[in-house]
Amino acid sequence: QVQLVESGGGVVQPGRSLRLSCAASGFTFSIHALHWVRQAPGKGLEWVAVISFDGTKRYYADSVKGRFTISRDNSRNILYLEINSLRPDETAVYYCAKDRVTFGVGEIDFWGQGTPVTVSS
Amino acid sequence: AIQMTQSPSSLSASVGDRVTITCRASQEISDDVAWYQQEPGKAPKLLIYAVSNLQTGVPSRFSGSGSGTVFTLTISSLQPEDSATYSCLQDNSYPYTFGQGTKLEI
């Protein structure tokens, strides 16, 4: 069965950096695009970024462009999100998510359980 | 960015009721809309993709419809386990955007 397990979250001071990881199993990792989505406490879902199946295309939400970097390692089935210059309003649960489409991009069909990130001094 | 305006923000209904949740896109998005259910403390779950396609394993009381800029999620006969927050997603263009969510109380 599909599994996505995020790690790397925690408490971090404003302005610092963090790298989130997502270990995938149960599907053919290298043919699906992957997303990061976040959810602040008590708020709705916010799409953050996507990376194509082969890692050649990356797109970001305007709010994170220039500070977040999405990447993947298809040899190890791991997705990453490098986050720089964190702000307190970026406190959220960060979800790794799998795209339903193969060799393209479409909607998200499966989500990990999320890793919480708290930005606080 | 395409805005997805979802309504209502909250809804209270009874077992057996039929409920409808609406998302309006700020521009035409073809059939690129999906719907998700999220229970408290859990990850979202895909219900419907491409406006009206039921995800495998999702009960048939869930359905989606719409075109252009207005899309709806309907639950035909509410069950107690349907108590959750429902969100739409447009995957027509980047950045992807979600509706604000509808909290459904049974």
Side-chain angles (χ1 to χ4, degrees):
Chain A
Q1 70 280 21
V2 175
Q3 280 202 311
L4 297 169
V5 180
E6 301 94 335
S7 61
V11 180
V12 61
Q13 292 180 327
R16 302 300 290 262
S17 300
L18 206 59
R19 188 174 84 156
L20 306 181
S21 301
C22 172
S25 61
F27 67 101
T28 306
F29 185 83
S30 61
I31 65 173
H32 288 271
L34 296 163
H35 304 255
W36 287 99
V37 177
R38 66 186 178 184
Q39 186 169 35
K43 301 295 186 184
L45 300 164
E46 180 186 14
W47 180 85
V48 172
V50 64
I51 186 167
S52 61
F53 68 97
D54 57 1
T56 58
K57 299 185 181 66
R58 309 170 197 209
Y59 299 93
Y60 299 91
D62 292 343
S63 58
V64 308
K65 215 174 286 186
R67 294 186 302 117
F68 287 24
T69 301
I70 188 171
S71 61
R72 65 190 295 162
D73 185 339
N74 282 356
S75 67
R76 300 176 62 202
N77 289 6
I78 301 178
L79 174 71
Y80 300 101
L81 185 69
E82 191 83 35
I83 308 175
N84 296 314
S85 304
L86 272 160
R87 307 188 300 234
D89 65 352
E90 294 180 313
T91 292
V93 174
Y94 284 73
Y95 292 102
C96 159
K98 168 187 164 290
D99 200 282
R100 189 183 65 83
V101 173
T102 57
F103 302 110
V105 191
E107 59 282 305
I108 292 167
D109 70 341
F110 192 83
W111 305 62
Q113 286 307 301
T115 186
V117 173
T118 302
V119 185
S120 173
S121 53
Chain B
I2 296 173
Q3 308 297 319
M4 296 296 283
T5 303
Q6 187 173 339
S7 60
S9 56
S10 64
L11 178 57
S12 182
S14 301
V15 172
D17 283 355
R18 177 186 179 94
V19 300
T20 298
I21 298 168
T22 300
C23 268
R24 296 176 191 273
S26 57
Q27 63 189 69
E28 281 253 357
I29 55 171
S30 186
D31 65 349
D32 299 322
V33 168
W35 290 93
Y36 298 88
Q37 176 193 63
Q38 187 178 24
E39 297 175 34
K42 293 191 175 180
K45 172 187 164 185
L46 176 65
L47 299 174
I48 302 279
Y49 63 91
V51 176
S52 59
N53 292 272
L54 199 65
Q55 174 70 343
T56 304
V58 174
S60 58
R61 63 180 180 273
F62 291 91
S63 64
S65 64
S67 64
T69 61
V70 183
F71 304 90
T72 60
L73 171 71
T74 298
I75 311 173
S76 61
S77 179
L78 276 175
Q79 300 301 304
E81 61 268 29
D82 298 336
S83 183
T85 296
Y86 294 83
S87 300
C88 61
L89 167 72
Q90 71 79 17
D91 59 286
N92 178 264
S93 63
Y94 298 114
Y96 283 8
T97 42
F98 288 91
Q100 303 94 316
T102 295
K103 187 173 181 179
L104 173 59
E105 188 180 86
I106 310 293

